[in-house]
Amino acid sequence: MKNLVTGLRTEEYEKNFAELHPPFTPGAAITEANRCLYCYDSPCMKACPTHIDISTFIKKISTKNLLGSARTIFESNWVPLTCAKACPVAVLCEGACVFNDKGEKPIEIGRLQRFAIDNYFSQNMLPLFHKASPNGKSVGIIGSGPAGLACGAELSLLGFDVTIYESNKIPGGLNTWGIAPYKLRREDSLKEVELVKSFGVKIETGVLVGTTVTIDDLLKKHSALFLGVGLGESPQLSVQGEELEGVIGALEFIEKVKSEKWHEVPVGKRVAVIGAGNTSIDAATEAKRLGAEEVYIIYRRSDVEMSAYRFEYDLAKKDGIVFYFLTSPKQVVGNSFVEGLECLKMKLEEPDSRGRRKPVSIPGSEFIIPVDMVIKAIGQDTKSAFLNSIPGLTLDNEGCVIVNTESYQTNNPKIFAGGDCINGGKEVVNAAYDGKRAAHGINKFLFPMSEGEN
Ligand code: SF4
């Protein structure tokens, strides 16, 4: 990169990456819990993809039964600390809270959940869960992200011998490596990994399935497999200059930031982020917090069509990120290093039959934004090459694995799948739900008489 940020002082990095939402004090948590109406037909619980019994866990906080509260949460979700900090609560549980209808502030469900789970981890993970006797079957899980961890935890408590295979040296997948540090620190994700390991789940890191070990090896070794492999890299922009030094994928950039060696992360003084989803906002605000002087988000549609949540958009604006709407990259300019991004102005056509307004370029509208770094954040591809190599799997047009929506079984009866590799990229909480449900699908497959509906 030509114009690198020279680096901030350690205390500046700490300040910039400090938590957005600090924890409740015990007194504040109880006061907030007492505000809850403990609704009979809790809309908050329905809005949570893992259907945590929210009114019950909040009630237990109000009566200072914090371990009981944590237990209620874990019964539905094995990665609740990550979810408490990284879930878009404003559009899920808190968005559904009845206080919104009264024009009042919704209950801070995310912070209360965090309060109960922080307390649980501070007490050295007291054994709260019943583990069944070994049932003689083993399951291999590929990927230690939220889906894999949830599946592993549930299976282990059901008596299975579980091994998770993780390509990274440090487990946790997206929770460890893909969430902005001001929302979730790596150590939080690793607490949840340790909890799952405490149930007897083995995690083999640095194992690249397909290279270090084959799917056939794993199918021979285990009674069933679960795929929680997430998504792959950002797709190519397919514009000239994409190979220049200073062009990087958003996930690669965010992963470097998550190393928490902030002074070692190369960042340009002027940064363009292509795309306007939640990952784009994370990458843009992280570049800014690393010391970039100017950060631009380039998006070919308008703010109405962008997929980033409104609160993420507001956060980016608060961080001083500049948005170029109706703008599309034409080429990255430079010799060996990025020196600028040539863009075209766009306009939106009339809505088509699906209501989508196609962006079209305005001839002769080219202009150059001088930048030293370009971050590609235009979504992620599935790991279709890997998935296509697995016998019996069927992928849809988007490259997602097709599963039975009840059992999470793929067209190969011994293989189950969940999380981003089946949905193309949703929230951590959706992956946690999939993993738990898939564990019961596997249990039913291997022990057909064992369980009713879970
Ligand atoms: Fe409490 Fe709001 Fe849920 Fe009702 S909807 S139980 S008030 S958090």
Side-chain angles (χ1 to χ4, degrees):
M1 230 172 292
K2 217 169 177 190
N3 289 305
L4 273 174
V5 168
T6 43
L8 307 177
R9 294 196 309 277
T10 303
E11 55 273 26
E12 288 177 299
Y13 285 124
E14 286 298 337
K15 182 170 163 261
N16 289 352
F17 287 106
E19 287 188 300
L20 285 180
H21 305 292
F24 272 132
T25 61
I30 290 168
T31 303
E32 183 66 358
N34 277 324
R35 218 164 57 83
C36 177
L37 303 174
Y38 313 118
C39 308
Y40 163 68
D41 200 14
S42 314
C44 53
M45 179 176 166
K46 285 189 189 144
C48 169
T50 57
H51 308 303
I52 293 173
D53 187 347
I54 291 169
S55 58
T56 299
F57 95 69
I58 293 180
K59 180 79 187 166
K60 288 178 179 173
I61 291 175
S62 76
T63 57
K64 300 188 185 170
N65 176 7
L66 295 186
L67 286 179
S69 179
R71 190 191 161 102
T72 299
I73 295 164
F74 280 122
E75 278 167 5
S76 297
N77 186 335
W78 289 115
V79 289
L81 186 57
T82 298
C83 290
K85 292 186 170 195
C87 257
V89 288
V91 294
L92 295 174
C93 55
E94 293 180 17
C97 176
V98 294
F99 276 104
N100 292 296
D101 301 334
K102 299 165 179 273
E104 291 177 36
K105 191 166 154 261
I107 301 295
E108 290 193 68
I109 300 168
R111 282 177 84 197
L112 286 172
Q113 179 166 308
R114 180 209 171 153
F115 179 73
I117 300 299
D118 271 346
N119 174 74
Y120 172 74
F121 282 121
S122 74
Q123 304 212 15
N124 296 321
M125 302 189 299
L126 291 167
L128 287 180
F129 315 100
H130 171 74
K131 186 166 155 64
S133 308
N135 62 25
K137 301 277 187 191
S138 81
V139 178
I141 293 176
I142 305 173
S144 66
L149 289 176
C151 189
E154 198 77 7
L155 285 170
S156 187
L157 294 182
L158 287 166
F160 288 87
D161 178 17
V162 182
T163 305
I164 299 180
Y165 302 94
E166 167 57 52
S167 59
N168 208 305
K169 289 261 164 27
I170 301 179
L174 182 76
N175 294 5
T176 301
W177 293 108
I179 298 171
Y182 49 80
K183 293 179 188 163
L184 183 84
R185 287 294 176 93
R186 225 168 45 163
E187 68 197 39
D188 294 320
S189 166
L190 295 179
K191 285 178 191 168
E192 291 171 330
V193 170
E194 285 309 309
L195 174 68
V196 174
K197 281 168 74 177
S198 77
F199 300 157
V201 173
K202 298 177 278 293
I203 302 184
E204 294 187 13
T205 55
V207 177
L208 195 57
V209 176
T211 304
T212 324
V213 62
T214 67
I215 283 281
D216 278 350
D217 293 336
L218 297 183
L219 283 168
K220 280 183 199 131
K221 185 173 173 188
H222 298 290
S223 310
L225 294 181
F226 174 76
L227 304 175
V229 296
L231 296 173
E233 286 303 313
S234 305
Q236 292 289 306
L237 293 171
S238 301
V239 298
Q240 206 179 327
E242 193 166 358
E243 71 295 344
L244 293 175
E245 192 176 329
V247 179
I248 186 172
L251 282 196
E252 193 189 340
F253 177 67
I254 291 170
E255 194 167 315
K256 284 179 199 270
V257 178
K258 283 295 277 195
S259 71
E260 296 182 17
K261 293 176 184 164
W262 294 313
H263 55 285
E264 292 178 12
V265 182
V267 63
K269 287 188 176 167
R270 308 177 92 182
V271 179
V273 180
I274 318 266
N278 296 310
T279 303
S280 323
I281 304 265
D282 274 3
T285 56
E286 287 175 35
K288 191 80 179 179
R289 284 158 199 254
L290 284 170
E293 289 162 14
E294 289 177 46
V295 181
Y296 313 107
I297 283 187
I298 315 294
Y299 181 49
R300 62 195 181 131
R301 292 188 163 92
S302 76
D303 60 338
V304 176
E305 290 86 16
M306 70 177 182
S307 59
Y309 293 121
R310 180 55 52 168
F311 62 87
E312 298 278 15
Y313 180 35
D314 291 342
L315 173 71
K317 286 194 290 188
K318 213 167 133 202
D319 276 2
I321 310 298
V322 175
F323 284 77
Y324 279 91
F325 291 115
L326 294 168
T327 303
S328 182
K330 185 177 176 193
Q331 66 166 320
V332 185
V333 182
N335 282 316
S336 352
F337 304 101
V338 174
E339 291 175 26
L341 185 69
E342 185 178 7
C343 297
L344 273 164
K345 293 306 291 177
M346 311 292 281
K347 62 180 177 187
L348 296 177
E349 288 186 335
E350 287 305 308
D352 62 17
S353 55
R354 291 180 303 158
R356 293 276 287 175
R357 302 183 67 193
K358 191 176 162 202
V360 287
S361 58
I362 301 172
S365 64
E366 287 88 346
F367 67 103
I368 292 177
I369 307 172
V371 290
D372 321 298
M373 184 179 194
V374 172
I375 301 177
K376 299 184 283 183
I378 51 171
Q380 283 173 262
D381 288 330
T382 61
K383 293 177 175 167
S384 52
F386 169 68
L387 296 171
N388 273 318
S389 74
I390 300 175
L393 242 55
T394 312
L395 308 188
D396 66 16
N397 291 339
E398 310 292 321
C400 298
V401 182
I402 294 175
V403 296
N404 176 301
T405 51
E406 284 296 312
S407 65
Y408 291 81
Q409 193 170 34
T410 68
N411 286 349
N412 181 328
K414 274 187 82 174
I415 302 180
F416 295 70
D420 285 356
C421 70
I422 69 164
N423 62 36
K426 283 191 175 175
E427 302 298 335
V428 168
V429 67
N430 299 98
Y433 179 74
D434 288 352
K436 185 177 164 75
R437 297 295 308 149
H440 289 278
I442 292 168
N443 190 36
K444 210 166 180 178
F445 169 63
L446 294 174
F447 296 100
M449 309 300 286
S450 67
E451 65 175 281
E453 201 45 44
N454 277 280

